Amino acid sequence: MNQNLPPLYALRAFTVAAQMASFSQAALFLNVTPGAVSRHIRTLEEWFGCRLFQRHGPKIWLTEAGSQLAVRLQDGFLQLETACQ
């Protein structure tokens, strides 16, 4: 397994949370708890060494780094979906 990549489940949780702008909605979509989504995001923030979301109570929004990552990951997940079809 390639140690140069963060966990795929964390990348997927990040992508869904970024699209929905909600950890709770991402959790419903992924059939996990909001706490799990939050932990996955924290894993990525530790991995990359930067914040991916700004948080203010229940509201979240992407940081500049998070926005750049989200765009690239959306393309990557689209390619994975296409390959699996």
Side-chain angles (χ1 to χ4, degrees):
M1 182 151 280
N2 190 341
Q3 294 298 319
N4 293 322
L5 295 174
L8 182 60
Y9 60 82
L11 293 172
R12 183 67 174 143
F14 167 77
T15 301
V16 174
Q19 289 173 342
M20 297 183 163
S22 169
F23 289 179
S24 297
Q25 291 298 312
L28 287 172
F29 181 82
L30 296 168
N31 200 31
V32 298
T33 65
V37 172
S38 182
R39 284 189 300 277
H40 296 331
I41 301 304
R42 192 173 330 119
T43 295
L44 291 179
E45 289 177 335
E46 290 172 4
W47 180 276
F48 292 117
C50 65
R51 304 277 297 187
L52 299 173
F53 286 97
Q54 290 292 332
R55 299 158 177 88
H56 185 69
K59 297 192 186 276
I60 62 167
W61 58 94
L62 289 167
T63 62
E64 180 62 31
S67 182
Q68 290 178 18
L69 181 62
V71 169
R72 290 187 173 96
L73 287 178
Q74 286 171 353
D75 291 340
F77 277 109
L78 180 60
Q79 289 181 10
L80 284 172
E81 290 173 20
T82 301
C84 290
Q85 289 176 356

